[in-house]
Amino acid sequence: MFPEQLNVPLGKWVNQFVDWLVINYGAAFEAFADSLLTVLVALEQVLRGAPWWLVLIAIAAITWHASRNWKLVLGLVVAMFVIGTLGLWDKAMQTLALMIVATSLSVIIGVPVGIAMAMSNRLRAIMLPILDTMQTMPSFVYLIPALMLFGLGKVPAILATVIYAAPPVIRLTDLGIRLVDPEVLEASRSFGASRKQILFGVQLPLALPNIMAGINQTTMMSISMVVIASMIGARGLGEQVLMGIQRLDVGAGMEAGIAIVLLAVVFDRIGQAYGKRSQRTSSGEDA
Amino acid sequence: MSYIEIRNIFKIFGPNPQAALELAKSGSDKEEILAKTGHTVGLDDVSLSIEQGETFVIMGLSGSGKSTLIRHLNRLIDPTAGEISFGGENILAMDIPTLNAFRRKRLGMVFQRFGLLPHRNVMDNVAYGLEIQGTDRKTREDIARKWIERVGLAGYENKFPDQLSGGMQQRVGLARALATDPEVLLMDEAFSALDPLIRSDMQEELMKLQAELHKTIVFITHDLDEALRIGDRIAILKDGKLVQVGRPEEIILNPADDYVQAFTRDVNRGKVLRAKSIMEPTTGTISGDQADTSQVVRPDTVLDDILPMALASDQAIRVLDRNDKLIGTIKRQQVITALSHSPAN
């Protein structure tokens, strides 16, 4: 037996810290939660309010813009249509809204963090274990304090999704910038480019294919998080899966599962198409 | 004082360069310092003076510190100790904005692997330096178009670097460096990655441009033939130390040590040595019967062209300057002696 005198009451300290946060900063967290919720609710209303065919047209237009490939457009429209035929259209739109907000937040946070990591080896050394933790820590562990800070519902679901889904875009932004040919950077510096000119004119454009791959992965991971998010009150397809498990309704669970997979396929293909586009350096727009 | 002055530059790579610097200053060599401190000596007490308008070649094998040295001139690398000035201005004292302004206005650089921006077409690559300076689109495209034409790439404005051959990419690199009209052109093994024929074309192109533009060119190479061909003066580096500085003929006729001699052994002397460096200087005028033009050469005539004349006649060949004034004579024996150091020629 490990001697009990050596026990560190880490759990107690964490509890005290969370209590202290709730007491002192509860209002600030609530304000943050409210603004996030406002965005989410507005987006959800638009998606659920829009006629189904309009959403299909929008998906088709985005796919065409990304890929210029009518076969892909047709395939993705059919996938979305199947979700509708499973009777899960409304729930899919809720999931979609949650996913868009969580992914956007991940990218807004992740890209600057990735840039900072690429610039500083010290920050990178600090961030890498944090990112590993974010990806391996069971999500329920941070869901509980998130619930205490934000209450039950969509906001902790978004935050849990961001914690789980942001690491790939952070890692790949860092990697993409580090992989930029050092001679190209030297050339840019030798012409007297400032750090800002180098970042926006050289590093980010050349890292873009990697950043796009990161965004794609982040999107995939945020879709996979929807089931867990439903357990703390986020609505959508995950809720349906959860219900299927609770009622031992294998069929309902399967339907929702298929819908989640189809949604993932749609977003993966769109993301990949944009990724490929950002890689084209030569044959460009006029091809 | 020369235009570019480099004084007692040391560059030590490693986490704690100051300790190793003391060793280097007290005369320890590269291996010793690496063994004792784990630090690599990049440059060891290098001093150079480069004149305005000359083509100055820095030559050395890989690891000799030549690429490190050229990067000190635009402070892509900062020295551990020493001074560098351009026209009396100490560039090491510049803060970042001043340094960037200095790089934008006065320097252009050409890289071994071209360093082109792969996401920009030829036009936008050539215009890059002007864009950094904040020149408006119309002006910079006009200037870029002129330079693209000048290096023979008219019609390729909308191509991307990966659609061009190596030689064409380096033409873009050269046009990009010249588009900002810099005073100094830094060329880091600019032609080393090119095929021999293309390389020779580019050397010619550079010399043609230089004859018109009179830039100060600092050219790095590991190829002595290239150095001799384009350099007004050549500096030879070995293990971060300067071994010899001089005009091409001086390097060949009086190599400073065995290292330089080993380099010069394979050089085609007939193409490098010129009348003025082997002639016996004389003064006087040409009398009537000597006005025969068949046995007359100019100071810059290379040995390869003098040899047939020397073989054709026993008479001494006369060297005349631009005003047809006699400045020296060359005997057959002198030509043969000058050539004889080269094997199998």
Side-chain angles (χ1 to χ4, degrees), chain B residues 61-144:
Chain B
L61 300 179
S62 51
S64 62
K66 55 192 191 301
S67 288
T68 308
L69 180 56
I70 200 175
R71 279 166 176 70
H72 279 74
L73 295 179
N74 56 1
R75 282 188 59 195
L76 287 176
I77 299 178
D78 280 336
T80 310
E83 290 167 36
I84 304 167
S85 65
F86 275 68
E89 211 176 328
N90 176 8
I91 66 162
L92 297 176
M94 290 176 174
D95 58 8
I96 297 292
T98 319
L99 177 65
N100 278 338
F102 166 73
R103 285 171 175 168
R104 280 174 206 178
K105 291 203 192 95
R106 296 171 63 183
L107 299 177
M109 190 160 180
V110 184
F111 293 84
Q112 179 171 11
R113 290 183 303 115
F114 322 131
L116 300 180
L117 304 165
H119 60 301
R120 289 164 157 247
N121 62 19
V122 170
M123 168 62 81
D124 290 341
N125 262 292
V126 175
Y128 184 68
L130 295 163
E131 188 183 327
I132 293 294
Q133 290 181 1
T135 314
D136 66 274
R137 177 171 286 274
K138 172 92 175 60
T139 315
R140 67 178 191 242
E141 289 196 344
D142 286 347
I143 296 173

Coordinates of all heavy atoms in Angstrom, one line a residue, chain B residues 61-144:
Chain B
L61 N 34.9 26.1 -49.9 CA 34.1 24.8 -49.9 C 33.0 24.9 -48.9 O 32.9 25.8 -48.1 CB 35.1 23.7 -49.6 CG 36.2 23.5 -50.6 CD1 37.1 22.4 -50.2 CD2 35.7 23.4 -52.0
S62 N 32.1 23.9 -49.0 CA 31.0 23.9 -48.0 C 31.6 23.8 -46.6 O 32.6 23.1 -46.3 CB 30.1 22.8 -48.3 OG 30.7 21.6 -48.4
G63 N 31.0 24.6 -45.7 CA 31.5 24.6 -44.3 C 32.6 25.7 -44.1 O 33.1 25.8 -43.0
S64 N 33.0 26.4 -45.2 CA 34.0 27.4 -45.0 C 33.5 28.7 -44.4 O 34.3 29.5 -44.0 CB 34.7 27.7 -46.4 OG 33.7 28.2 -47.2
G65 N 32.2 28.8 -44.3 CA 31.6 30.0 -43.7 C 31.2 31.1 -44.7 O 30.8 32.2 -44.3
K66 N 31.2 30.8 -46.0 CA 31.0 31.8 -47.0 C 29.5 32.2 -47.0 O 29.2 33.4 -47.1 CB 31.4 31.3 -48.4 CG 30.8 30.0 -48.9 CD 31.5 29.5 -50.1 CE 30.7 28.4 -50.8 NZ 30.5 27.2 -49.9
S67 N 28.6 31.3 -46.8 CA 27.2 31.6 -46.7 C 26.8 32.4 -45.4 O 26.0 33.3 -45.4 CB 26.3 30.4 -46.9 OG 26.3 29.9 -48.2
T68 N 27.6 32.0 -44.4 CA 27.4 32.7 -43.1 C 27.9 34.2 -43.3 O 27.2 35.1 -42.8 CB 28.2 32.1 -42.0 OG1 27.9 30.7 -42.0 CG2 28.0 32.7 -40.7
L69 N 29.0 34.3 -44.0 CA 29.5 35.7 -44.2 C 28.6 36.6 -44.9 O 28.3 37.7 -44.5 CB 30.9 35.6 -44.9 CG 31.6 36.9 -45.1 CD1 31.8 37.7 -43.8 CD2 33.0 36.6 -45.8
I70 N 28.0 36.1 -46.0 CA 27.2 37.0 -46.9 C 25.9 37.3 -46.1 O 25.4 38.4 -46.2 CB 26.8 36.3 -48.2 CG1 26.4 37.4 -49.2 CG2 25.8 35.2 -48.1 CD1 26.2 36.9 -50.6
R71 N 25.5 36.5 -45.2 CA 24.3 36.8 -44.4 C 24.5 37.8 -43.3 O 23.6 38.4 -42.7 CB 23.7 35.5 -43.8 CG 22.9 34.7 -44.8 CD 22.6 33.3 -44.4 NE 21.7 32.7 -45.4 CZ 22.0 32.3 -46.6 NH1 23.2 32.6 -47.0 NH2 21.2 31.8 -47.4
H72 N 25.8 38.1 -43.1 CA 26.1 39.2 -42.1 C 25.9 40.5 -42.8 O 25.7 41.5 -42.1 CB 27.6 39.0 -41.7 CG 27.8 38.1 -40.5 ND1 27.7 36.7 -40.7 CD2 28.0 38.2 -39.2 CE1 27.9 36.1 -39.6 NE2 28.1 37.0 -38.6
L73 N 26.0 40.5 -44.1 CA 26.0 41.8 -44.8 C 24.6 42.4 -44.8 O 24.4 43.6 -44.9 CB 26.4 41.7 -46.3 CG 27.9 41.3 -46.4 CD1 28.3 41.2 -47.9 CD2 28.8 42.4 -45.8
N74 N 23.5 41.5 -44.7 CA 22.2 42.1 -44.5 C 21.6 41.7 -43.2 O 20.4 41.8 -43.0 CB 21.2 41.7 -45.7 CG 21.2 40.2 -45.9 OD1 21.8 39.5 -45.1 ND2 20.4 39.8 -46.8
R75 N 22.5 41.2 -42.3 CA 22.1 40.9 -41.0 C 21.0 39.8 -40.9 O 20.2 39.8 -40.0 CB 21.7 42.1 -40.1 CG 23.0 42.9 -39.7 CD 22.6 44.0 -38.7 NE 22.0 43.5 -37.5 CZ 21.3 44.3 -36.6 NH1 21.3 45.5 -36.8 NH2 20.8 43.8 -35.6
L76 N 21.0 38.9 -41.8 CA 20.2 37.7 -41.6 C 20.8 36.9 -40.5 O 20.1 36.2 -39.8 CB 20.1 36.9 -42.9 CG 19.2 37.4 -44.0 CD1 19.3 36.5 -45.3 CD2 17.8 37.6 -43.6
I77 N 22.1 37.1 -40.3 CA 22.8 36.6 -39.2 C 23.6 37.7 -38.5 O 24.1 38.6 -39.2 CB 23.8 35.5 -39.6 CG1 23.1 34.3 -40.3 CG2 24.6 35.0 -38.4 CD1 24.0 33.2 -40.8
D78 N 23.6 37.8 -37.2 CA 24.3 38.8 -36.5 C 25.6 38.2 -36.0 O 25.7 37.1 -35.6 CB 23.5 39.3 -35.3 CG 22.5 40.4 -35.7 OD1 22.7 41.0 -36.8 OD2 21.5 40.5 -35.0
P79 N 26.7 39.0 -36.1 CA 28.0 38.4 -35.7 C 28.1 38.3 -34.1 O 27.4 39.0 -33.4 CB 29.0 39.5 -36.2 CG 28.2 40.7 -36.3 CD 26.8 40.4 -36.6
T80 N 29.0 37.5 -33.7 CA 29.3 37.4 -32.2 C 30.2 38.6 -31.8 O 30.0 39.2 -30.8 CB 30.0 36.1 -31.9 OG1 29.3 35.0 -32.5 CG2 30.1 35.9 -30.4
A81 N 31.1 39.0 -32.7 CA 31.9 40.2 -32.5 C 32.3 40.7 -33.8 O 32.4 40.0 -34.8 CB 33.1 39.8 -31.6
G82 N 32.6 42.0 -33.8 CA 33.1 42.7 -35.1 C 32.3 43.8 -35.5 O 31.3 44.2 -34.8
E83 N 32.7 44.4 -36.6 CA 32.0 45.6 -37.1 C 31.7 45.5 -38.6 O 32.5 44.9 -39.3 CB 32.8 46.9 -36.9 CG 33.0 47.3 -35.5 CD 34.1 48.3 -35.4 OE1 34.3 49.1 -36.3 OE2 34.8 48.3 -34.4
I84 N 30.5 45.9 -39.0 CA 30.2 46.0 -40.5 C 29.6 47.3 -40.8 O 28.7 47.8 -40.1 CB 29.2 44.9 -40.8 CG1 29.6 43.5 -40.4 CG2 28.9 44.9 -42.3 CD1 28.6 42.5 -40.4
S85 N 30.2 48.0 -41.8 CA 29.5 49.3 -42.2 C 29.4 49.4 -43.7 O 30.1 48.8 -44.4 CB 30.4 50.4 -41.6 OG 31.6 50.4 -42.3
F86 N 28.3 50.1 -44.1 CA 28.0 50.4 -45.5 C 28.1 51.9 -45.6 O 27.4 52.6 -45.0 CB 26.6 49.9 -45.8 CG 26.5 48.5 -46.2 CD1 26.7 47.5 -45.3 CD2 26.1 48.2 -47.5 CE1 26.5 46.2 -45.6 CE2 26.0 46.8 -47.9 CZ 26.2 45.8 -46.9
G87 N 29.1 52.3 -46.5 CA 29.2 53.7 -46.7 C 29.4 54.5 -45.4 O 28.8 55.6 -45.2
G88 N 30.1 53.9 -44.4 CA 30.3 54.6 -43.2 C 29.3 54.4 -42.1 O 29.4 54.8 -41.0
E89 N 28.2 53.7 -42.5 CA 27.0 53.6 -41.6 C 27.2 52.2 -40.9 O 27.2 51.2 -41.6 CB 25.7 53.6 -42.4 CG 24.6 54.2 -41.7 CD 23.4 54.2 -42.7 OE1 23.6 54.4 -43.9 OE2 22.3 54.0 -42.2
N90 N 27.2 52.2 -39.6 CA 27.3 50.9 -38.9 C 26.0 50.2 -38.9 O 25.0 50.6 -38.2 CB 27.7 51.3 -37.5 CG 27.8 50.0 -36.6 OD1 27.7 48.9 -37.1 ND2 28.0 50.2 -35.3
I91 N 25.9 49.1 -39.6 CA 24.6 48.4 -39.8 C 24.3 47.6 -38.5 O 23.1 47.2 -38.3 CB 24.5 47.5 -41.0 CG1 25.5 46.3 -40.9 CG2 24.8 48.3 -42.3 CD1 25.1 45.2 -41.9
L92 N 25.3 47.3 -37.7 CA 25.0 46.5 -36.5 C 24.3 47.3 -35.4 O 23.7 46.8 -34.5 CB 26.3 45.9 -35.9 CG 27.0 44.9 -36.9 CD1 28.3 44.5 -36.3 CD2 26.1 43.7 -37.2
A93 N 24.3 48.7 -35.6 CA 23.7 49.5 -34.6 C 22.2 49.8 -34.9 O 21.5 50.4 -34.2 CB 24.4 50.8 -34.5
M94 N 21.8 49.3 -36.1 CA 20.4 49.6 -36.6 C 19.4 48.8 -35.7 O 19.6 47.6 -35.5 CB 20.3 49.2 -38.0 CG 21.0 50.1 -39.0 SD 20.9 49.5 -40.7 CE 21.7 50.8 -41.5
D95 N 18.3 49.5 -35.4 CA 17.2 48.8 -34.8 C 16.3 48.1 -35.9 O 16.6 48.3 -37.1 CB 16.3 49.7 -33.9 CG 15.7 50.8 -34.6 OD1 15.9 50.9 -35.9 OD2 15.2 51.7 -34.0
I96 N 15.3 47.3 -35.5 CA 14.6 46.5 -36.5 C 14.0 47.4 -37.7 O 14.2 47.1 -38.8 CB 13.6 45.6 -35.9 CG1 14.3 44.6 -34.9 CG2 12.8 44.9 -36.9 CD1 15.1 43.5 -35.6
P97 N 13.3 48.4 -37.3 CA 12.7 49.2 -38.4 C 13.7 49.8 -39.4 O 13.6 49.8 -40.6 CB 11.8 50.3 -37.7 CG 11.6 49.8 -36.4 CD 12.8 48.9 -36.0
T98 N 14.8 50.3 -38.8 CA 15.9 50.9 -39.6 C 16.5 49.9 -40.5 O 16.8 50.1 -41.6 CB 16.9 51.6 -38.7 OG1 16.3 52.2 -37.6 CG2 17.8 52.5 -39.5
L99 N 16.7 48.7 -39.9 CA 17.3 47.6 -40.6 C 16.4 47.2 -41.8 O 16.9 47.0 -42.9 CB 17.6 46.4 -39.7 CG 18.1 45.2 -40.3 CD1 19.5 45.4 -40.9 CD2 18.2 44.0 -39.3
N100 N 15.1 47.1 -41.5 CA 14.2 46.7 -42.6 C 14.2 47.7 -43.7 O 14.2 47.4 -44.9 CB 12.8 46.5 -42.0 CG 12.6 45.1 -41.4 OD1 13.4 44.2 -41.7 ND2 11.6 45.0 -40.5
A101 N 14.3 49.0 -43.3 CA 14.3 50.1 -44.3 C 15.6 50.0 -45.1 O 15.6 50.1 -46.4 CB 14.2 51.4 -43.7
F102 N 16.7 49.7 -44.5 CA 18.0 49.5 -45.1 C 17.9 48.3 -46.1 O 18.4 48.5 -47.2 CB 19.0 49.3 -44.0 CG 20.4 48.8 -44.5 CD1 21.2 49.6 -45.2 CD2 20.7 47.5 -44.2 CE1 22.5 49.1 -45.6 CE2 22.0 47.0 -44.7 CZ 22.8 47.8 -45.3
R103 N 17.4 47.2 -45.7 CA 17.3 46.1 -46.5 C 16.4 46.4 -47.8 O 16.7 46.0 -48.9 CB 16.6 44.9 -45.8 CG 17.6 44.2 -44.8 CD 16.8 43.2 -44.0 NE 17.6 42.4 -43.1 CZ 17.1 41.7 -42.1 NH1 15.7 41.6 -41.9 NH2 17.8 41.0 -41.3
R104 N 15.3 47.1 -47.5 CA 14.4 47.4 -48.6 C 15.0 48.2 -49.7 O 14.8 48.0 -50.9 CB 13.1 48.1 -48.1 CG 12.2 47.2 -47.4 CD 11.1 48.0 -46.8 NE 10.5 47.2 -45.6 CZ 9.6 47.6 -44.8 NH1 9.1 48.8 -45.0 NH2 9.2 46.9 -43.9
K105 N 15.7 49.3 -49.2 CA 16.2 50.3 -50.2 C 17.5 49.9 -50.8 O 17.8 50.3 -52.0 CB 16.3 51.6 -49.5 CG 14.9 52.2 -49.1 CD 15.0 53.7 -48.9 CE 13.7 54.2 -48.3 NZ 13.9 54.3 -46.8
R106 N 18.4 49.3 -50.1 CA 19.8 49.2 -50.5 C 20.3 47.9 -50.9 O 21.4 47.8 -51.4 CB 20.6 49.9 -49.5 CG 20.3 51.4 -49.4 CD 21.0 52.1 -48.3 NE 22.4 52.1 -48.4 CZ 23.2 52.6 -47.5 NH1 22.7 53.2 -46.4 NH2 24.5 52.6 -47.7
L107 N 19.5 46.8 -50.5 CA 20.1 45.5 -50.8 C 19.1 44.6 -51.6 O 17.9 44.8 -51.5 CB 20.3 44.7 -49.4 CG 21.3 45.4 -48.5 CD1 21.3 44.5 -47.2 CD2 22.7 45.4 -49.0
G108 N 19.7 43.8 -52.4 CA 18.9 42.7 -53.1 C 19.6 41.4 -52.9 O 20.9 41.4 -52.8
M109 N 18.9 40.3 -52.8 CA 19.6 39.1 -52.6 C 19.1 38.0 -53.5 O 17.9 37.9 -53.7 CB 19.5 38.7 -51.1 CG 20.4 37.5 -50.7 SD 20.7 37.4 -48.9 CE 21.7 36.0 -48.8
V110 N 20.0 37.2 -54.0 CA 19.6 36.0 -54.8 C 20.1 34.8 -54.1 O 21.2 34.7 -53.6 CB 20.3 36.2 -56.2 CG1 19.8 35.1 -57.2 CG2 19.9 37.5 -56.8
F111 N 19.2 33.7 -54.1 CA 19.5 32.6 -53.3 C 19.8 31.3 -54.2 O 19.4 31.2 -55.3 CB 18.3 32.2 -52.4 CG 18.0 33.3 -51.4 CD1 17.3 34.4 -51.7 CD2 18.5 33.1 -50.1 CE1 17.1 35.4 -50.8 CE2 18.3 34.1 -49.2 CZ 17.6 35.3 -49.5
Q112 N 20.5 30.4 -53.6 CA 20.9 29.2 -54.3 C 19.7 28.4 -54.8 O 19.7 28.0 -55.9 CB 21.8 28.3 -53.3 CG 22.2 27.0 -54.0 CD 23.2 26.2 -53.1 OE1 23.4 26.5 -52.0 NE2 23.8 25.2 -53.7
R113 N 18.7 28.2 -53.9 CA 17.6 27.4 -54.4 C 16.4 28.4 -54.7 O 15.3 28.2 -54.5 CB 17.1 26.4 -53.3 CG 18.2 25.2 -53.3 CD 17.7 24.1 -52.3 NE 17.5 24.7 -51.0 CZ 16.4 24.7 -50.4 NH1 15.3 24.2 -51.0 NH2 16.3 25.2 -49.2
F114 N 16.8 29.6 -55.1 CA 16.0 30.6 -55.7 C 15.1 31.4 -54.6 O 15.0 32.6 -54.7 CB 15.0 30.1 -56.8 CG 15.7 29.0 -57.6 CD1 15.1 27.8 -57.9 CD2 17.0 29.3 -58.1 CE1 15.7 26.9 -58.7 CE2 17.6 28.3 -58.9 CZ 17.0 27.1 -59.2
G115 N 14.6 30.7 -53.6 CA 13.8 31.4 -52.6 C 12.6 32.1 -53.1 O 12.1 33.1 -52.6
L116 N 12.0 31.6 -54.2 CA 10.8 32.3 -54.8 C 9.6 31.9 -54.0 O 9.6 30.9 -53.3 CB 10.6 31.8 -56.2 CG 11.7 32.1 -57.2 CD1 11.4 31.6 -58.6 CD2 12.0 33.6 -57.2
L117 N 8.6 32.8 -54.0 CA 7.4 32.5 -53.2 C 6.5 31.6 -54.1 O 6.0 32.1 -55.1 CB 6.7 33.9 -52.9 CG 7.6 34.9 -52.1 CD1 7.0 36.2 -52.2 CD2 7.7 34.4 -50.7
P118 N 6.3 30.4 -53.7 CA 5.6 29.4 -54.5 C 4.2 29.8 -54.8 O 3.6 29.3 -55.8 CB 5.8 28.1 -53.8 CG 6.0 28.5 -52.4 CD 6.7 29.8 -52.4
H119 N 3.6 30.6 -53.9 CA 2.1 30.9 -54.1 C 1.9 32.2 -55.0 O 0.8 32.6 -55.1 CB 1.5 31.0 -52.8 CG 2.0 32.1 -51.9 ND1 3.3 32.1 -51.5 CD2 1.5 33.2 -51.4 CE1 3.5 33.2 -50.8 NE2 2.4 33.9 -50.7
R120 N 3.0 32.7 -55.5 CA 2.8 33.9 -56.3 C 3.4 33.7 -57.7 O 4.4 33.0 -57.8 CB 3.6 35.1 -55.7 CG 3.0 35.6 -54.4 CD 4.0 36.4 -53.6 NE 3.3 37.3 -52.7 CZ 3.3 38.6 -52.9 NH1 4.0 39.2 -53.9 NH2 2.6 39.4 -52.1
N121 N 2.8 34.3 -58.7 CA 3.3 34.1 -60.0 C 4.5 35.0 -60.3 O 5.0 35.7 -59.4 CB 2.2 34.4 -61.1 CG 1.7 35.8 -61.0 OD1 2.4 36.7 -60.5 ND2 0.5 36.1 -61.5
V122 N 5.1 34.9 -61.4 CA 6.4 35.5 -61.7 C 6.3 37.0 -61.5 O 7.1 37.6 -60.8 CB 6.8 35.2 -63.2 CG1 7.9 36.1 -63.6 CG2 7.2 33.8 -63.4
M123 N 5.2 37.6 -62.0 CA 5.0 39.1 -61.8 C 5.0 39.4 -60.3 O 5.7 40.3 -59.9 CB 3.6 39.4 -62.5 CG 3.1 40.8 -62.1 SD 4.2 42.1 -62.7 CE 3.8 42.2 -64.4
D124 N 4.2 38.7 -59.5 CA 4.1 39.1 -58.1 C 5.4 38.8 -57.4 O 5.7 39.4 -56.3 CB 2.9 38.4 -57.5 CG 1.6 38.9 -58.0 OD1 1.6 40.0 -58.5 OD2 0.6 38.2 -57.9
N125 N 6.2 37.8 -57.8 CA 7.5 37.5 -57.2 C 8.4 38.6 -57.5 O 9.1 39.1 -56.6 CB 8.0 36.2 -57.7 CG 7.8 35.0 -56.8 OD1 8.3 35.0 -55.7 ND2 6.9 34.1 -57.2
V126 N 8.5 39.1 -58.7 CA 9.4 40.1 -59.1 C 9.1 41.4 -58.4 O 9.9 42.2 -58.0 CB 9.5 40.3 -60.6 CG1 10.4 41.5 -61.0 CG2 10.1 39.0 -61.3
A127 N 7.7 41.6 -58.3 CA 7.3 42.9 -57.6 C 7.3 42.8 -56.1 O 7.0 43.8 -55.4 CB 5.9 43.2 -58.1
Y128 N 7.8 41.7 -55.6 CA 7.6 41.5 -54.1 C 8.4 42.6 -53.3 O 7.8 43.1 -52.4 CB 8.2 40.1 -53.7 CG 8.0 39.8 -52.3 CD1 6.7 39.6 -51.7 CD2 9.1 39.7 -51.4 CE1 6.6 39.3 -50.4 CE2 8.9 39.4 -50.0 CZ 7.7 39.3 -49.5 OH 7.5 39.0 -48.2
G129 N 9.6 42.8 -53.7 CA 10.4 43.8 -52.9 C 9.7 45.2 -53.0 O 9.7 45.9 -52.0
L130 N 9.2 45.5 -54.1 CA 8.5 46.8 -54.2 C 7.2 46.9 -53.4 O 6.9 47.9 -52.8 CB 8.2 47.1 -55.7 CG 9.4 47.3 -56.6 CD1 9.0 47.1 -58.1 CD2 10.1 48.6 -56.4
E131 N 6.6 45.7 -53.4 CA 5.3 45.6 -52.6 C 5.6 45.8 -51.1 O 4.9 46.5 -50.4 CB 4.7 44.2 -52.8 CG 3.3 44.1 -52.2 CD 2.8 42.6 -52.4 OE1 3.1 42.0 -53.4 OE2 2.1 42.2 -51.5
I132 N 6.8 45.2 -50.6 CA 7.2 45.4 -49.2 C 7.5 46.8 -48.9 O 7.2 47.3 -47.9 CB 8.5 44.5 -49.0 CG1 8.1 43.0 -49.1 CG2 9.1 44.9 -47.6 CD1 7.2 42.5 -48.0
Q133 N 8.0 47.5 -49.9 CA 8.3 49.0 -49.8 C 7.0 49.8 -49.7 O 7.1 51.0 -49.4 CB 9.2 49.5 -50.9 CG 10.6 48.9 -50.9 CD 11.4 49.5 -52.0 OE1 10.9 50.3 -52.8 NE2 12.6 49.1 -52.1
G134 N 5.9 49.2 -50.2 CA 4.7 50.0 -50.2 C 4.4 50.7 -51.5 O 3.6 51.7 -51.5
T135 N 5.1 50.3 -52.6 CA 4.8 50.9 -53.9 C 3.4 50.5 -54.4 O 3.0 49.4 -54.1 CB 5.9 50.4 -54.9 OG1 7.2 50.5 -54.3 CG2 5.9 51.3 -56.1
D136 N 2.8 51.4 -55.0 CA 1.4 51.1 -55.5 C 1.5 50.1 -56.6 O 2.5 49.9 -57.3 CB 0.6 52.3 -55.9 CG 1.2 53.0 -57.2 OD1 2.2 53.8 -57.0 OD2 0.8 52.6 -58.3
R137 N 0.4 49.4 -56.8 CA 0.3 48.2 -57.8 C 0.8 48.6 -59.2 O 1.6 47.9 -59.8 CB -1.1 47.6 -57.8 CG -1.3 46.5 -58.7 CD -2.6 45.8 -58.6 NE -2.6 44.9 -57.4 CZ -2.1 43.7 -57.3 NH1 -1.6 43.1 -58.4 NH2 -2.2 43.0 -56.2
K138 N 0.2 49.7 -59.7 CA 0.5 50.1 -61.1 C 2.0 50.3 -61.3 O 2.6 49.7 -62.2 CB -0.3 51.4 -61.4 CG 0.1 52.0 -62.7 CD -0.9 51.5 -63.8 CE -0.6 52.3 -65.1 NZ 0.7 52.1 -65.6
T139 N 2.6 51.1 -60.4 CA 4.1 51.4 -60.5 C 4.9 50.1 -60.4 O 5.8 49.8 -61.2 CB 4.5 52.3 -59.4 OG1 3.5 53.4 -59.3 CG2 5.9 52.9 -59.7
R140 N 4.6 49.3 -59.4 CA 5.4 48.1 -59.2 C 5.3 47.1 -60.3 O 6.3 46.4 -60.7 CB 5.2 47.5 -57.8 CG 3.9 46.8 -57.6 CD 3.8 46.2 -56.2 NE 2.7 45.3 -56.0 CZ 1.7 45.6 -55.2 NH1 1.7 46.6 -54.3 NH2 0.7 44.7 -55.1
E141 N 4.1 47.0 -60.9 CA 3.9 46.1 -62.0 C 4.7 46.6 -63.3 O 5.2 45.8 -64.0 CB 2.5 45.8 -62.3 CG 1.9 45.0 -61.2 CD 0.5 44.3 -61.5 OE1 -0.1 44.7 -62.5 OE2 0.1 43.4 -60.8
D142 N 4.7 47.9 -63.4 CA 5.4 48.5 -64.6 C 6.9 48.2 -64.5 O 7.5 47.7 -65.4 CB 5.2 50.0 -64.7 CG 3.8 50.3 -65.2 OD1 3.2 49.4 -65.7 OD2 3.4 51.5 -65.1
I143 N 7.4 48.4 -63.2 CA 8.9 48.1 -63.0 C 9.2 46.7 -63.1 O 10.1 46.3 -63.8 CB 9.3 48.7 -61.6 CG1 9.1 50.2 -61.5 CG2 10.7 48.3 -61.3 CD1 9.3 50.8 -60.2
A144 N 8.3 45.8 -62.5 CA 8.5 44.4 -62.6 C 8.5 43.9 -64.0 O 9.3 43.1 -64.4 CB 7.5 43.7 -61.8

